[in-house]
């Protein structure tokens, strides 16, 4: 045997078979297959073939009223918003191809941050590529190992993911429960860093947080406070700044997180604050730094929309009217809603289980109405619901039409 030949070495034991990484999804796959086998359509695979306005689309050839978008203020087809986007596309091209901290900050990104500073009357604004990244980035950068994030159990996934990324200790309190928040805070070491994270409107049930009670409690225990106003911007408060403004505690809030994907009508996220070192976060916040910035056309649409939302009192009033009318009408028909009163532009119709929720969802779609079907983990355990989100551009006639569709679908499926 010379140096170049060798005998094959037989392994003494067979290599262990690595598990299929998809195996963990098997129960979910089975549940979904069973549901679809019953002949219902997949509520998570809807395609809008055409979108005609903030409230109307064509889905599988059928004219459909949209009651399941986050387009609360109906800005997506605003002529000024569209013109601003087209102009920026012509002048600055289709994308920045770079991070905000390198080649990806154009004058449009700065103009957008200035519009946010004015809108919120705050000293600093940072624009992110999505609201998800804004929460992920700010929560993880502020609260690191050894710090505590005290959050509502029903917090959005982006808030939880921010805690995981930052490696902070998570302390949950019961949803919207003021006493439980205080109990949790009282048990934490006084010298530890603390960030209390709250949301103005909770997007699944459409209920609002008692910020006027919670924010002062957080301050009493020396915590910094971050409020996610994703579902309240443009709609709550005299200037549309959100629930913290409406409840008179905005001056005590350290950071407001928001998104452009709801009332602003495009895509993107932001953080506004009066903290003098806010700008420093740009250098240490990974979801801000290690991703491409928003295209110029997107920031131009966002800027125009934000500026128009400063003077949108009539739209706000009409959205509230819509929300009140639909809430009352659904209750009169016998549907069970998540809130006794209309607290926001989101009305959640509760159904006893997934099958009933999907049947009702499908019956509405066949009538020409699109709503969101929501189930755990997006909703609390055991909660299945149809989430209806109103738009300031829904006409009163559309709201009456929607009620007629709910009545027919409810009767056909036995939901009422
Ligand atoms: C409360 C809350 N925060 C943040 C986000 C993330 O927003 P975006 O769509 O901009 O990523 C959402 C999105 O649904 C949300 O509901």
């Amino acid at each position: 045997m010379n140096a170049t030949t060798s005998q094959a070495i037989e392994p003494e034991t067979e290599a262990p078979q690595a598990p299929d990484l998809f195996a963990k999804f098997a129960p979910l796959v089975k549940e979904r297959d069973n549901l679809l086998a019953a002949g219902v359509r997949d509520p998570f695979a809807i395609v809008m073939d055409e979108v005609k306005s903030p409230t109307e689309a064509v889905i599988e050839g059928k004219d459909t009223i949209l009651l399941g978008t986050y387009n609360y203020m109906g800005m997506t087809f605003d002529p000024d918003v569209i013109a601003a986007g087209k102009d920026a596309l012509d002048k600055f091209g289709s994308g920045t191809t770079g991070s905000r901290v390198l080649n990806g900050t154009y004058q449009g990104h700065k103009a957008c941050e200035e519009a946010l500073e004015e809108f919120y009357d705050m000293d600093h604004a940072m624009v992110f590529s999505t609201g998800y990244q804004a929460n992920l980035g700010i929560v993880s950068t502020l609260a690191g190992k050894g710090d505590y994030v005290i959050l509502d159990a029903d917090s959005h996934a982006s808030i939880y993911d921010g805690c995981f990324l930052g490696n902070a200790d998570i302390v949950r309190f019961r949803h919207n429960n003021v006493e439980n928040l205080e109990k949790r805070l009282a048990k934490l070491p006084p010298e530890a860093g603390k960030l209390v994270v709250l949301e103005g409107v909770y997007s699944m049930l459409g209920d609002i947080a008692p910020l006027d009670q919670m924010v002062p409690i957080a301050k009493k225990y020396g915590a910094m406070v971050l409020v996610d106003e994703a579902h309240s911007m443009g709609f709550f408060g005299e200037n549309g700044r959100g629930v913290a403004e409406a409840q008179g505690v905005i001056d005590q809030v350290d950071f407001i997180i928001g998104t452009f994907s709801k009332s602003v009508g495009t895509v993107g996220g932001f953080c506004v604050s009066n903290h003098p070192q806010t700008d420093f976060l740009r250098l240490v916040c990974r979801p801000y730094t290690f991703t491409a910035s928003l295209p110029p056309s997107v920031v131009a649409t966002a800027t125009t929309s934000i500026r128009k939302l400063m003077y949108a009192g009539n739209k706000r009033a009409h959205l509230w009217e819509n929300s009140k009318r639909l809430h009352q009408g659904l209750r009169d028909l016998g549907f069970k809603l998540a809130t006794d009163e209309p607290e926001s532009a989101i009305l959640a119709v509760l159904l006893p289980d997934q099958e009933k929720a999907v049947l009702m969802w499908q019956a509405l779609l066949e009538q020409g109405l699109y709503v969101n079907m929501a189930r755990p983990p997006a909703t609390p355990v055991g909660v299945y619901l149809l989430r209806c989100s109103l738009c300031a551009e829904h006409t009163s006639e559309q709201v009456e039409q929607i009620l007629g569709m709910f009545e027919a679908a409810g009767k056909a499926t036995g939901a009422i």
Side-chain angles (χ1 to χ4, degrees), residues 70 130-132 135 156 158 199 203 228 230-231 259-262 268:
Y70 296 131
T130 64
Y132 177 90
N135 269 332
H156 189 261
S158 54
E199 291 177 36
S203 69
D228 178 337
H231 295 272
T259 172
F260 299 157
S261 71
K262 306 190 196 306

Side-chain angles (χ1 to χ4, degrees), residues 202-260:
Y202 285 87
S203 69
M204 285 299 143
L205 304 181
D207 52 344
I208 59 170
L211 295 182
D212 51 348
Q213 297 172 62
M214 289 180 156
V215 173
I217 287 176
K219 290 283 148 188
K220 180 173 138 192
Y221 289 89
M224 283 188 146
V225 178
L226 179 155
V227 179
D228 178 337
E229 297 273 19
H231 295 272
S232 34
M233 180 186 184
F235 181 35
F236 282 80
E238 204 188 330
N239 300 291
R241 292 175 188 153
V243 176
E245 182 188 30
Q247 296 186 3
V249 287
I250 195 163
D251 292 345
Q252 297 172 60
V253 172
D254 297 282
F255 304 95
I256 290 180
I257 296 287
T259 172
F260 299 157

